[in-house]
Amino acid sequence: MDKIKAIFLDFDWTLFDHKTRTFNKKGVEALNKAHEKGVKLIINSARTYYALKGLKTFDLIPFDGYVVTNGGACMIDSKTLYADFIDDAIKNKIITFLDKHHFGYNLITQYNTYIKEVDKNIIKEFYDVFYEPYPLDFSKYQNEKVLAIQIFSRATDDPLLKEMADKYHLLFNRFADTNIELTAKEFLKSTGVKTIYNYLNLKKEEAMAFGDDINDIPMFEMVKYGICLGNGKDEAKKYAYYVTDNIENDGLYNALKHFKVIVSSSHK
């Protein structure tokens, strides 16, 4: 097969098993082996940098690059290749609006997440579903540029919030029963892949991507070897070059071995 020089990796249900709330051990071992051979490892996740760091992702896997917030920002070699921030003036107007209408919210920056607490019940409901480190208190926010604003709200609030988003030409995405997200543009994982291709002078045939969900499809389309975990969505599997085993059955490790990116694992 083609020589693989870079691997792009989704996080949830690809590296991280939510049934056990642990990383797949053999997958982590395999990625470290690939990295020792010179393969670049790039996290490409809808998760924020703050969440990934808080979950100890970077302590276990020596990532060379980071595509975070579903493609909202891309970093490699201590350089920011791009970050699609919300305009500061618009961000400040939205904060004023949300405070006036008593909404709680998260501010997602390139490296941190800050929370303004209002209704603790809806916040608890959100974090009972979305397992990740709790954000920093809003009092610690020092006017960093913002990639996304997550608003704790119900569907009944959508008309009011949608009108506000439209006024400031922001994308409105209800991604949970308890939360909507505002961004300056559509975030796609493929944007990060394309940017890193250009930076590293890579070809499509030299890249592999692992994922499990619909938002991984644009990433699969950017690489020759798009690998979907067996536990993945059926729609994602349609776009995959190869479907491997479930995460609990070491799908990531098995695929890397199948394509001879690694030869063996020390795990018995």
Side-chain angles (χ1 to χ4, degrees):
M1 65 173 288
D2 303 297
K3 179 175 173 57
I4 298 300
K5 295 183 179 179
I7 301 174
F8 295 87
L9 294 136
D10 174 50
F11 180 80
D12 296 289
W13 297 110
T14 299
L15 286 175
F16 193 84
D17 188 340
H18 283 267
K19 291 180 182 176
T20 59
R21 290 187 171 176
T22 59
F23 289 84
N24 179 265
K25 185 176 180 180
K26 288 187 73 173
V28 169
E29 289 180 2
L31 291 172
N32 276 273
K33 282 183 173 292
H35 194 260
E36 289 170 5
K37 292 175 58 179
V39 178
K40 297 285 189 182
L41 302 179
I42 316 293
I43 189 73
N44 196 342
S45 174
R47 294 278 192 157
T48 65
Y49 185 95
Y50 176 83
L52 293 167
K53 182 179 179 181
L55 291 168
K56 310 300 183 185
T57 311
F58 309 140
D59 295 341
L60 294 172
I61 302 167
F63 284 107
D64 301 282
Y66 314 87
V67 181
V68 295
T69 320
N70 206 49
C74 176
M75 301 86 80
I76 193 169
D77 295 338
S78 300
K79 299 177 182 178
T80 298
L81 301 186
Y82 73 82
D84 291 320
F85 296 117
I86 294 172
D87 178 80
D88 283 340
I90 290 175
K91 174 217 35 176
N92 291 333
K93 289 177 181 178
I94 292 171
I95 288 174
T96 299
F97 175 93
L98 296 176
D99 289 343
K100 177 183 177 181
H101 291 275
H102 307 292
F103 285 103
Y105 50 88
N106 286 336
L107 298 184
I108 311 297
T109 72
Q110 189 169 346
Y111 295 106
N112 293 305
T113 301
Y114 301 90
I115 190 167
K116 181 70 174 287
E117 295 180 334
V118 175
D119 182 344
K120 291 185 180 293
N121 290 327
I122 194 172
I123 292 172
K124 180 181 183 302
E125 187 177 337
F126 176 81
Y127 284 104
D128 282 347
V129 174
F130 291 88
Y131 176 72
E132 62 178 46
Y134 201 73
L136 300 169
D137 187 80
F138 187 77
S139 63
K140 299 182 185 299
Y141 176 62
Q142 297 295 316
N143 208 33
E144 296 168 52
K145 287 188 172 295
V146 169
L147 289 168
I149 301 173
Q150 295 177 342
I151 304 170
F152 297 101
S153 63
R154 306 287 184 185
T156 51
D157 299 310
D158 283 1
L160 175 66
L161 294 174
K162 184 70 165 58
E163 182 181 8
M164 181 265 294
D166 289 344
K167 178 180 178 180
Y168 296 114
H169 306 289
L170 298 177
L171 290 185
F172 175 102
N173 174 33
R174 174 160 290 283
F175 69 98
D177 292 340
T178 52
N179 210 305
I180 65 115
E181 184 171 78
L182 304 179
T183 57
K185 60 185 293 187
E186 184 179 13
F187 290 169
L188 294 170
K189 292 186 176 186
S190 53
T191 306
V193 176
K194 181 179 180 180
T195 303
I196 287 179
Y197 275 179
N198 292 336
Y199 179 80
L200 295 176
N201 194 27
L202 287 177
K203 300 175 183 177
K204 184 175 184 177
E205 294 75 19
E206 297 172 323
M208 177 178 280
F210 286 86
D212 71 293
D213 212 336
I214 293 172
N215 67 332
D216 294 312
I217 292 172
M219 179 170 66
F220 288 166
E221 292 180 320
M222 284 295 297
V223 303
K224 179 173 180 179
Y225 301 101
I227 315 298
C228 189
L229 275 287
N231 49 271
K233 300 280 182 66
D234 288 341
E235 187 68 14
K237 291 176 181 178
K238 292 178 184 177
Y239 288 85
Y241 181 92
Y242 179 78
V243 178
T244 186
D245 299 302
N246 290 7
I247 185 171
E248 65 267 28
N249 294 325
D250 305 320
L252 197 158
Y253 163 75
N254 292 338
L256 289 176
K257 190 173 180 182
H258 172 80
F259 286 102
K260 297 182 171 59
V261 177
I262 60 168
V263 177
S264 63
S265 169
S266 60
H267 180 78
K268 303 296 183 184

